[in-house]
Each structure stands twice: as structure tokens, then as C-alpha cells.
Amino acid sequence: LDFDLQAKWAQQLITLIKRRKFHSHKSAYGKTHIPSFASSSSSSSNNSNNNSSADNIPELILPWRPLHDILIKTYFNVYREGIYAHKETHGTALVKLARACRRYWAETATQEMLIEFRPYMCIHDSLAYRGAVLWSTFMPTKRGHPVGSWFAEVEAMRQWMENNREWDAVWLALITRVAKDNSKSSSSSSSSSSSNNDMMDVSSASPATTPSSSNHIDWEVYIPSIFNTILRMFSLPAANATPLEKPPTRKMPGTYAMFLEDDNVCLQHAAQFCVHLLHFSPVATHLSNLLRYTERFYHPSNGGNWSNGLAKFLLEFVNLFTKRIYKEGKPACKKETNARVPTETSENILTILQPIIYMGMYAKGAALGQAAASSLTMLAYVYPSRILPQFIEQQVAMGLTTMTETHQTRSVIDALGKLARPLVWRSRYSEGALHITSLLFETLPGIDTNDPAKTVTTLKFYHELFLHVPIIDATQYRLPPSQSGGEDDVDDQLRSSTSMFGDWVMQLLDKLFSIFANQLEIETGGKIELMIATVVKSITDVLFQQMDASIHEEATRKILTFVSNNVIPQALTSVRSLLNSAAVARPSESLSIFIPFLYRKLITLPDNNKKSSSSSSSTNASSSSSSPSGVILTHATESETLWYLTLFSDVLRGANAAVLKYKTEIMNVLQCTLYHKENAKIVKTAGQLLENVLKTLVLTRPLDLRSVPSSFYSSDDFKATHYKTWGDQVNFKSLDVKWHIPNAEEIAFANQLIDTFGQRALTDLERIISHQSASSSAPASAPMKEDGGDDHMDVDTASS
């Protein structure tokens, strides 16, 4: 068999099954594609499919033996055909296909698998490993399959081996599926039984003696043993342990590697098990004990190899826990009351989680710190009034004021970036937005030239915040008549606080200018400088899009003052992004400020030509280029010319139809720089200018990226009360996106640029090609001219 072809078709079948699962209304997948895999299934299933309605997908029943036989024949027979297969592609693809198909096994598959797998399960034979992985991979657990007939048997086999994480992980994955699909199949006594059992003690009751039926699982019997296994999987050290010899760690043979999952995935299964059965009081009790026991290992001073596992468990548990609480809190939830997580349990879990998360935020390992911050964000969406006030009053106040533990400042600001939306979401937690103005000013010291990592984190916080908050001084606009009677205290305070936005923007620009002045070149600084340039681009794009016209004009003039007084080539990438963001947000206003200044820095007007030519500037690299209209480049150094030419190019990029007002300036700059005879860098930058102008004229793209539709943003009523909509999600069905569509005048100017500069470039290319052809056909190459007469060829090539 062709193993690569089998792996390819396995991936195709996985894709089709996933499509059928998520798009069940498309009957084509159920009738045509997937049943072809089930060609060996019974005719009774085909008859049941034919009787179904044409508008619905018929019941899909797949055989399990073909996949089982392929795996056995390829990897576990005496001929060892699997030695020629690639387990990473072929074996893994077949295992994934089996996991995707097991929800469609026939009802008789359970009994058939038990007959097939039970002979493997001998505690004294290594074939037990094969039986375990096949049992965990193939055994169906969906409703309708008699899970209770074999679950007690699985629990007994799971305890055969100790110090074997892979053995525990295989069975825990199966138990988690059973908990998910059969969480209601518990005896009524489990919900009312005593919950005072110690988590660390294995139940003395034998699972094999517990009465079971095809649809009944008494979880209370197995929960202590399962939590013991979960605790062992963390691999936590024991303090003051007796110095005995450590027992040997067992592992499965490498043949079964394709069935095994990563250790972190196993801990995710453990978290899923806890959430699926959280409505059972014994599970809630043991989970509380587990969290309290592991709390000390989240402390920054107790980090180790176990920290990544703790991070994965925490993140997965909080993710599933908040999803379940949110769904069960909806009025449309159809779950029975006894199948929901009790309020008492959820409040208790939240109380235990908070100190764990606050300690994990300051962990030395990045994985645990990020997991704690993300967990805090998910809890803030569900419990904003419980999480946000405590975090602001305790953690933020401590992290932003400390002078000796600066690493806490970065962790707190990183968490603030993730909490930006729940903090300002007025409809969920109205009082959270009151802290925004103070947080903006208190985090400004985080932009520190001596701490690039903290600088990047602070700028990311601003980026996340202003995705939901327009930068508008609401006090400059009159309240609409419907609200002229006054507002509540929170709205009144927020309205007054927006008057500080303008001052904060000016201080932020001062901080950015200090970063630019001390910035290294990207090639020299490496990843840090590249990261700073990238984050500056993202924050300035959002910042200028959300600015009101008055604040935008003030910020633009402040940028112009900085550009006119400083030439910083190593910060050119960041500065050009700053100018481009301002120009894209409000093209007409920005170009009227930037273009005249930049044009004067680049071009000497015809009235000054005589005076300029009389000065001795023969050594100046830029004075030799002129245009047919008589304008010439100014007598500036190469770095200054490149600085202003690059800024001129980026100001025009994305300015849309506003560039038409400056056609003369654009043509003059291109004529003076695109065919510069002595500097290829200027020629290359001029080529970028031409490319940017052409893209600006002819490309179709959205005109703004604000947090609300443009028509809504421009109304005075919204500007006067915009703080009431902070954090609200836009209705995507009523979006009013405005697009830049090239008009006739823009297309005509683009054609003019192509006719003026494109034809000359083609002519130069043809001349260069003909010159090279003549040189290669000559019998001997002519000596090079000493006066450098052919040196202009390289520049012409660059301009073309």
C-alpha cells in the first residue's frame, strides 16, 4: 500500500467529517462523500438512510474495523510493514481519523470492541499497552453506547501501573470523554453524599464491585482515585520528603507514540474532566482541595519544570469554567437545575482562583504569566464586579508605584492590556471606565528608553484600550436635548475626564520622541528595535483614527515641529509610520501641514536658482539634479535628503484623493530624484515614492478603521456622549463601511505618472539590454574608461 496516499485520504476524510459536524444542514456531505467510506457497513443502515427526509442528513454509521485492521496490520503484525511508514504522517493521520469517526460507530461496536480488546488486557503482558491505546482511541462514549458496561473495568485497569504518565494519560483522555458525554449518568446519591473525603486518599471501595448498567456511572466511587492521578500528573515536588530512592519512571514502548498526546494536553484533559462534572458536589470538593494544594507552586519563587503544566491546567480550566457559567446563566439555557453548576460552587471556585492568578501573573516563566493574565481576562468578562475592583485597587496600585520590583510593573500593564475591553465595557461594568484617565497617566512612565520590553507592553496596552475608546473631548460638544436634564454621577465624571485626552496625547508623543532619539537601527538593535517599530505603527494607526479633529491637528503640528528640528536616520521606520498614520486618518488636514514643509526641504524654487547656483556646491551630491521646470534639489546632505524624501513618500501613502491637490509638488520631486545621477539611494527612495502614489490613486480600501461607523462618529451627539458606548460591540449587520474607489481624476493622474516616468524606464531598460548584448558579442571587452563615463549605468538600472 502507498502510505502517503493513505495519509492523504485520511486527512480528506477528517475534513469531510468536520464539515458534516459543523454544517449538518448540508445533506450532500452525509449522502455522497462520507458514506463511501462506510461501504462495508450493514445494509440495514443503508435502508435507514434511504428512509430519511431529503431535506435532512441521514444518520451516519461508520465501520470501525477497517481503521483498526489497517493499524494492526501496519504497525503490530509480525511482518512489521510499519517500518516503511512515516508514523508522524501516516500513523498519526489514521489515529486522528479514528478519533473523528468514533462518534458515528454503530451501537454494536461497543460489544465488538470489548471482545477484541479484552484479550490484550493482561497485567503481566506488554500487550496491555496495545489494548489501552486502542481502547482509548476507538471506544465510543456518546449517548446510546453502553458506557456503564465497561467503565468500572477501565477504572480497575487504570490503577495497574504507577509512575507511568503515559499510561495515566491514555486512560484519563477516555475518562474525560465519558464525563463530557455522560455527565448526567450519576446516581442520585452522588449529589447529596458527604463531601468531607480527603482528596489524597484513594477510595477503598472496589470499582469492580460497584453495580453498573449500560447507562449508569456512579462517579462518587471513582472521583478520589481520578484526582489522585491528576495530582500525580503535575509532577510537583514534595517538601521535607524522606530521602528514599526514587521509583523508576515507566514509559510505553515507542511503537505507541502515535497514540500518545503531549503532557500539556493531558493536563488539559484533567481540566476538562473537572469542568464537565463540576455540578457534582464531590468533584467541587476535590477540585477545591486540588487548587488549594497547588496554590503555593504558582508563587514566583516556586517556579520549576512543573510551571508549564500548571499554566496549561489553569488556562484550560478557567476557559471552560467561564464558558459553562456564561451559557448556564443565559435565560435560554435548557439545562435542568440539578445539571447546572450551583452558585455556591462557582463563588467558592472564584474565591480560590483569584490569589492563584495574582501570584501567577508575576511568575518568572512567560507561559505561566501569560496564562494567568488570560485567565484573569476571562473571569473579568463573567464576573466584572468581582474581578476588576480588586485588581485595580490592589494589583495595579502596587505594580505601578513600586520602585524596586519593576518586573511587577510590566506584568500589571500586560494584564491591563488584556483587561482593556471588560474594563471600559459600560453595559457590563459601568464603574470600570472611571479608572481610564488615571491609568493613562500612571502608565506613561512605562515608556522607558532603558526598558524596551516594558515600553512594548505599555504601547500594547494603549493599542488594546483605544480600539474601544474614541479620543474625543466630550466637554467641547453640547449634550443632545434628550439628555439636557442631566446625567448620573458616573457619566458626569466620565464626561469631565475626557477633557484630559488632549494633554495625554501630547505627553505620549513626547515619550515617543524620546524613544526615537535613543533608538538604534533595526539591523543593529535586532528584534527589540523591530518590535518597537512594529508596535509604534499599530498604536499610531489606532490612535490617530480615534482622534477628534482638534486633537488631531494639535498632534500633527507637534509632529511637524519634531520632524523639522530632528534628523534621526536610525528611527526613520518609526517616524515615517507616525506621519503616515496621521495622514491616513485625516488626509486633507494632514497634507496641508506636512507637504509644504517637506517640499521646501527638498526643492529649491526657480526664483532661488541663480542664488543657489552661485554658491560653491559642486561637491554636494544632491545639487546636480534638476527638472525641466527649473526646480532643483536643495543643498542638503545625503542623510537629510533621504530623511525628508522618505517622509514625503509616506505622507502621501494612503492619502487617497487628497494627493491630487499636490500634483505639481509630486511631479517636481520625482523629476529631481528619480533620475539622480550620483546617488542610487535617492533613486531607490524616489521609486518607492512613485509606487506609493500609484497605489494611493488606484487601490480600493476602507477609508477609516474607527471603533464605530463613520457616519455615527461624525455626529455631534455621539461626540458629546461617546463615553456611553465604550466597549460596545458594533452590529456587523448594519456596518456602514466607506471605501476609496478611484475616480476619473485619480486614474488620469496615475496614467500621467506612468506616461512620464514609465516610458523612460522602459527605454532605459532596452538601452541597457542592447548594451549588454553588444558587449557579450564583442570578441574582446573594451577597457573601462578612467573618467567614470559609464558609472551612470547602475543608477539608471535602479531608476528603471
Side-chain angles (χ1 to χ4, degrees), residues 114-327:
L114 291 175
I115 297 174
E116 184 73 28
F117 300 155
R118 274 172 175 162
Y120 295 130
M121 305 310 299
C122 177
I123 192 173
H124 304 293
D125 196 338
S126 62
L127 288 178
Y129 291 119
R130 183 189 304 181
V133 296
L134 292 176
W135 202 313
S136 177
T137 302
F138 282 87
M139 190 63 71
T141 58
K142 286 290 182 182
R143 287 191 173 275
H145 294 279
V147 178
S149 63
W150 51 262
F151 188 79
E153 187 177 352
V154 165
E155 264 299 299
M157 292 185 294
R158 185 179 62 82
Q159 302 179 44
W160 283 356
M161 299 185 189
E162 294 183 356
N163 300 317
N164 193 330
R165 289 175 59 87
E166 296 172 348
W167 178 267
D168 291 338
V170 166
W171 292 118
L172 185 59
L174 176 61
I175 293 171
T176 300
R177 285 200 291 118
V178 174
K180 178 182 179 182
D181 300 331
N182 301 271
S183 59
K184 294 182 180 180
S185 59
S186 176
S187 63
S188 58
S189 61
S190 65
S191 61
S192 60
S193 61
S194 175
S195 58
N196 297 326
N197 298 330
D198 186 17
M199 182 192 64
M200 303 306 162
D201 295 333
V202 180
S203 176
S204 59
S206 174
T209 62
T210 303
S212 63
S213 62
S214 61
N215 59 356
H216 174 84
I217 298 176
D218 188 358
W219 287 104
E220 185 179 1
V221 178
Y222 311 114
I223 284 172
S225 176
I226 294 174
F227 271 90
N228 278 342
T229 301
I230 294 174
L231 182 61
R232 285 201 307 268
M233 295 184 71
F234 284 113
S235 300
L236 300 175
N240 301 325
T242 305
L244 299 177
E245 183 180 356
K246 184 179 180 181
T249 301
R250 300 182 179 93
K251 289 187 177 181
M252 284 191 177
T255 312
Y256 306 105
M258 57 189 174
F259 293 94
L260 304 179
E261 297 176 302
D262 185 75
D263 286 348
N264 293 330
V265 177
C266 302
L267 289 172
Q268 290 177 350
H269 289 322
Q272 294 165 12
F273 171 82
C274 296
V275 175
H276 293 324
L277 298 180
L278 193 57
H279 55 286
F280 293 149
S281 58
V283 173
T285 301
H286 283 78
L287 176 62
S288 300
N289 294 336
L290 176 68
L291 293 175
R292 289 192 180 98
Y293 180 78
T294 58
E295 179 179 351
R296 72 195 74 174
F297 297 98
Y298 286 92
H299 194 278
S301 62
N302 291 336
N305 296 331
W306 52 86
S307 296
N308 287 342
L310 292 173
K312 288 293 183 181
F313 178 84
L314 177 65
L315 186 61
E316 184 71 10
F317 175 78
V318 174
N319 180 30
L320 297 176
F321 172 72
T322 51
K323 284 182 178 179
R324 179 169 182 178
I325 296 299
Y326 176 72
K327 290 179 181 178

Side-chain angles (χ1 to χ4, degrees), residues 327-343:
K327 290 179 181 178
E328 293 179 357
K330 287 184 175 181
C333 180
K334 298 181 180 180
K335 275 189 177 182
E336 299 177 0
T337 304
N338 59 356
R340 302 185 185 186
V341 179
T343 305

Side-chain angles (χ1 to χ4, degrees), residues 738-779:
K738 297 186 181 301
W739 298 84
H740 167 255
I741 300 176
N743 56 33
E745 189 175 0
E746 290 176 278
I747 295 175
F749 184 40
N751 288 328
Q752 179 184 354
L753 291 172
I754 294 175
D755 293 339
T756 304
F757 303 104
Q759 293 299 328
R760 180 171 174 179
L762 292 175
T763 303
D764 290 343
L765 285 174
E766 292 175 354
R767 177 171 55 82
I768 293 170
I769 293 173
S770 61
H771 177 78
Q772 292 179 346
S773 300
S775 300
S776 60
S777 62

Side-chain angles (χ1 to χ4, degrees), residues 783-791:
M784 296 294 294
K785 295 183 180 180
E786 296 182 358
D787 58 356
D790 290 334
D791 290 346

Side-chain angles (χ1 to χ4, degrees), residues 586-639:
R586 297 182 181 274
S588 300
E589 297 85 342
S590 300
L591 294 188
S592 65
I593 295 174
F594 289 131
I595 291 298
F597 165 76
L598 295 174
Y599 185 71
R600 290 194 304 270
K601 289 291 185 178
L602 288 170
I603 299 298
T604 300
L605 300 179
D607 296 340
N608 300 327
N609 281 353
K610 294 182 180 180
K611 181 178 179 180
S612 299
S613 60
S614 62
S615 63
S616 56
S617 58
S618 58
T619 60
N620 192 348
S622 62
S623 62
S624 59
S625 292
S626 62
S627 68
S629 59
V631 297
I632 62 173
L633 285 178
T634 56
H635 299 285
T637 62
E638 176 187 339
S639 60

Side-chain angles (χ1 to χ4, degrees), residues 468-541:
H468 314 286
V469 177
I471 306 177
I472 302 174
D473 183 1
T475 60
Q476 301 296 322
Y477 299 90
R478 182 177 300 176
L479 287 172
S482 60
Q483 301 181 17
S484 58
E487 301 180 303
D488 57 27
D489 293 340
V490 175
D491 286 342
D492 188 57
Q493 293 181 46
L494 285 178
R495 178 177 171 83
S496 301
S497 66
T498 58
S499 61
M500 304 297 293
F501 280 167
D503 294 338
W504 177 83
V505 169
M506 298 304 110
Q507 294 186 32
L508 174 65
L509 290 176
D510 289 333
K511 288 286 187 178
L512 291 178
F513 295 157
S514 66
I515 293 293
F516 299 158
N518 296 275
Q519 194 171 354
L520 300 176
E521 293 185 3
I522 294 179
E523 293 78 5
T524 304
K527 293 183 179 180
I528 292 295
E529 301 300 328
L530 179 60
M531 187 181 300
I532 290 177
T534 304
V535 175
V536 167
K537 172 62 178 173
S538 62
I539 177 60
T540 53
D541 281 345

